[in-house]
């Protein structure tokens, strides 16, 4: 059963149909929220609010764009709102390793993207780096590199051209790589591959 049929049932108020849409998209929404916030708790709250808003607005969804496009537009708006609120609050939590960190040890083997997302320390570092790039760059990275949306889907979510998506993503990745390198979260050799003629052999 495709999204269109499930969506039609959800718009008629069938909760089980909407729950099917939640099951299809909640992991991707959570991944974006986690990478944006750097906190599993905040990501869970954002994810819950995304689907709550979607459910409340599902009857008015006209289908001019795909359901995923509409859903990730809600997700991005909530992530941006959360980031703005977080940045406006004083930082009072000490940077110490707590029980939550102990439950998520850094894997000994090369981690998968999913394991990266589950690692709270790495998540916080990436979220901190994303906080330093512009809002438009943060949105592009979250939609492409975290959620895995296509250029076409991102263009629809952000209401820009695909060419703008590609150029903005390229600039965003360079900015993010520079920040992570400065923060000590990338080896210099990882960045040197993108710098022509540079690097010590």
């Amino acid at each position: 059963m495709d999204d269109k049929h499930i969506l039609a049932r959800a718009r008629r108020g069938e909760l089980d149909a909407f729950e099917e849409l939640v099951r299809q998209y909640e992991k991707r929404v959570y991944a974006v929220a986690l990478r944006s916030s750097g906190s599993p708790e905040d990501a869970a709250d954002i994810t819950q609010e995304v689907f709550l808003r979607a459910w409340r607005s599902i009857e008015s969804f006209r289908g001019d764009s795909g359901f995923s496009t509409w859903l990730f537009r809600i997700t991005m708006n909530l992530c941006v709102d959360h980031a703005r609120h977080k940045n406006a609050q004083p930082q009072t939590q000490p940077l110490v390793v707590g029980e939550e960190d102990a439950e998520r040890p850094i894997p000994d083997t090369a981690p998968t993207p999913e394991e990266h997302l589950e690692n709270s320390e790495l998540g916080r570092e990436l979220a901190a780096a994303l906080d330093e790039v512009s809002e438009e760059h943060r949105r592009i990275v979250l939609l492409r590199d975290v959620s895995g949306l296509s250029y076409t889907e991102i263009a629809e979510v952000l209401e820009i051209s695909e060419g703008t998506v590609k150029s903005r993503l390229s600039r965003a990745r360079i900015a993010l790589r520079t920040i992570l390198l400065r923060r000590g979260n990338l080896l210099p050799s990882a960045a040197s591959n993108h710098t022509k003629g540079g690097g010590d052999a």
Side-chain angles (χ1 to χ4, degrees):
M1 191 179 299
D2 60 18
D3 278 6
K4 185 176 291 187
H5 185 75
I6 299 172
L7 182 59
R9 291 176 51 214
R11 291 179 64 188
R12 292 196 297 267
E14 296 184 28
L15 185 57
D16 61 332
F18 185 75
E19 288 174 345
E20 177 61 29
L21 292 173
V22 173
R23 283 191 290 272
Q24 287 184 28
Y25 290 99
E26 63 181 341
K27 288 184 179 180
R28 293 172 68 190
V29 169
Y30 177 80
V32 170
L34 180 58
R35 186 59 59 85
S36 177
S37 67
S39 163
E41 292 78 13
D42 289 345
D45 289 343
I46 292 170
T47 301
Q48 183 177 23
E49 182 64 20
V50 166
F51 287 106
L52 181 60
R53 291 194 184 188
W55 173 245
R56 287 173 175 170
S57 306
I58 194 76
E59 290 183 9
S60 62
F61 174 62
R62 299 189 307 171
D64 294 336
S65 59
F67 176 75
S68 62
T69 299
W70 180 66
L71 186 67
F72 281 107
R73 191 173 292 147
I74 296 174
T75 303
M76 293 311 307
N77 289 336
L78 283 172
C79 285
V80 169
D81 288 346
H82 176 272
R84 287 172 177 166
H85 177 74
K86 180 180 67 174
N87 291 337
Q89 301 300 313
Q91 299 297 318
T92 57
Q93 291 185 334
L95 296 176
V96 297
V97 176
E99 292 180 1
E100 179 183 322
D101 299 292
E103 293 173 358
R104 291 182 172 86
I106 298 176
D108 292 332
T109 57
T112 64
E114 291 77 17
E115 288 169 331
H116 272 309
L117 288 173
E118 288 299 322
N119 184 272
S120 60
E121 183 176 353
L122 179 60
R124 282 194 298 270
E125 286 297 322
L126 288 168
L130 283 168
D131 280 343
E132 294 190 39
V133 301
S134 68
E135 185 174 304
E136 67 176 26
H137 285 172
R138 180 165 55 249
R139 287 173 181 249
I140 285 283
V141 170
L142 290 173
L143 290 172
R144 178 62 180 176
D145 294 335
V146 178
S147 184
L149 267 64
S150 68
Y151 293 128
T152 301
E153 289 172 322
I154 296 171
E156 291 178 355
V157 170
L158 300 181
E159 299 179 324
I160 57 179
S161 70
E162 287 189 43
T164 301
V165 169
K166 293 176 182 179
S167 61
R168 193 174 292 178
L169 179 62
S170 177
R171 292 195 301 269
R173 285 172 172 168
I174 291 171
L176 191 58
R177 189 181 302 118
T178 300
I179 292 168
L180 288 171
L181 180 61
R182 172 169 53 77
R183 292 174 64 90
N185 291 294
L186 279 179
L187 293 175
S189 59
S192 65
N193 292 333
H194 303 274
T195 305
K196 202 168 187 179
D200 298 322

